[in-house]
Amino acid sequence: MRLKDKVAIITGAGSGIGAATAILFAREGARVTAADANLKGAEETVRKIKSAGGQAIAVKVNIAKTEEVEKMVEETVKSFGTVDILVNNAGTNEFVPLPVLQEEDMAKIMDINLMGAFRCVKAVMPVLTEKLSGKIINVTSVMSVIAGKGQNAYNASKGALKMLTQGMAVDLASYHINVNAVGPGMIRTGLTKNLFANEDRVKWFEEKIPLGRLGLPEDIAPAILFLASDEANYITGETIFVDGGMIATR
């Protein structure tokens, strides 16, 4: 019960890493807002939480729209009275080689992966600064420090989010708000379904991962839980890479 009586907002909680994190948080005692652009997915996560005896609500949110992000925070406070933890997990990716990458492609990915997290932090900040406590965890990627072929926009967005994490950590430290990031490696999620559809490509990735396998959402959720818990009270501005050892080979 490491998050007993805590209230957490988790974006992208309708599937993958977000869903695994929401379920784990609830198991550890948190009351959870499962937020996602796919309301049915968020509702399914909530169903699983409630069936296990936890407390959660589902909220539809497009993190590219400020008014929807603000409504997400308002609904959380209305339902649970406060917010203690924000997990910025929602994101997107498109594999677009640089020769055909257009401005609108770059703008779309930056608007969701970087600005989406910024909007969520700005919306929840008044609650956290007033209570002088809180945890913010941004989900970045190994691609924030490793350049993936055909992933210029994604690389840039996740690299920028990593640095935004550090800047926010410095600015919010005086409010006793910890801001950290988790950088997943090659994880089987809906976002990577097409990438890993080819078994030869899966084998190629597995040969480059020291632990010899692709990760699962359940491999990432415990790292997010740790950073959200009191055990991480003296950690801020850091990124924990959960990648099976990929970065260690670079």
Side-chain angles (χ1 to χ4, degrees), residues 67-202:
E67 61 274 17
E68 292 192 20
V69 171
E70 291 175 346
K71 184 179 178 181
M72 171 186 72
V73 175
E74 290 170 3
E75 289 190 29
T76 301
V77 173
K78 181 180 179 180
S79 295
F80 300 129
T82 189
V83 181
D84 300 290
I85 302 160
L86 169 66
V87 178
N88 283 313
N89 167 71
T92 189
N93 189 18
E94 293 180 14
F95 295 96
V96 184
L98 186 59
V100 294
L101 181 67
Q102 302 297 315
E103 282 190 28
E104 53 266 31
D105 301 320
M106 176 69 81
K108 175 185 174 182
I109 291 177
M110 294 295 285
D111 191 37
I112 294 174
N113 291 354
L114 177 65
M115 292 304 297
F118 173 77
R119 292 183 188 98
C120 291
V121 171
K122 290 290 286 184
V124 80
M125 215 167 63
V127 180
L128 301 185
T129 54
E130 183 178 354
K131 63 195 299 182
L132 294 176
S133 69
K135 300 287 175 63
I136 297 170
I137 301 97
N138 298 320
V139 177
T140 58
S141 170
V142 292
M143 296 303 171
S144 66
V145 293
I146 297 174
K149 187 176 181 179
Q151 297 187 63
N152 287 271
Y154 187 75
N155 290 151
S157 69
K158 292 299 187 177
L161 182 57
K162 180 179 181 295
M163 184 52 68
L164 183 64
T165 299
Q166 295 174 218
M168 287 179 169
V170 173
D171 282 357
L172 295 178
S174 61
Y175 296 98
H176 305 288
I177 299 169
N178 302 66
V179 188
N180 291 292
V182 169
M186 299 295 104
I187 311 299
R188 288 188 182 273
T189 68
L191 200 63
T192 59
K193 184 177 181 180
N194 291 336
L195 178 64
F196 299 138
N198 185 303
E199 285 305 313
D200 289 336
R201 184 176 293 170
V202 170

Side-chain angles (χ1 to χ4, degrees), residues 48-62:
K48 292 177 180 177
I49 289 172
K50 289 185 174 180
S51 67
Q55 298 182 59
I57 61 169
V59 174
K60 183 175 182 179
V61 62
N62 178 352

Side-chain angles (χ1 to χ4, degrees), residues 8-59:
I9 296 174
I10 301 170
T11 64
S15 62
I17 293 170
T21 301
I23 291 167
L24 180 59
F25 273 31
R27 191 184 308 150
E28 290 288 337
R31 291 168 288 168
V32 175
T33 292
D36 203 294
N38 176 7
L39 182 59
K40 287 186 177 180
E43 288 174 339
E44 175 60 17
T45 299
V46 169
R47 186 194 66 76
K48 292 177 180 177
I49 289 172
K50 289 185 174 180
S51 67
Q55 298 182 59
I57 61 169
V59 174

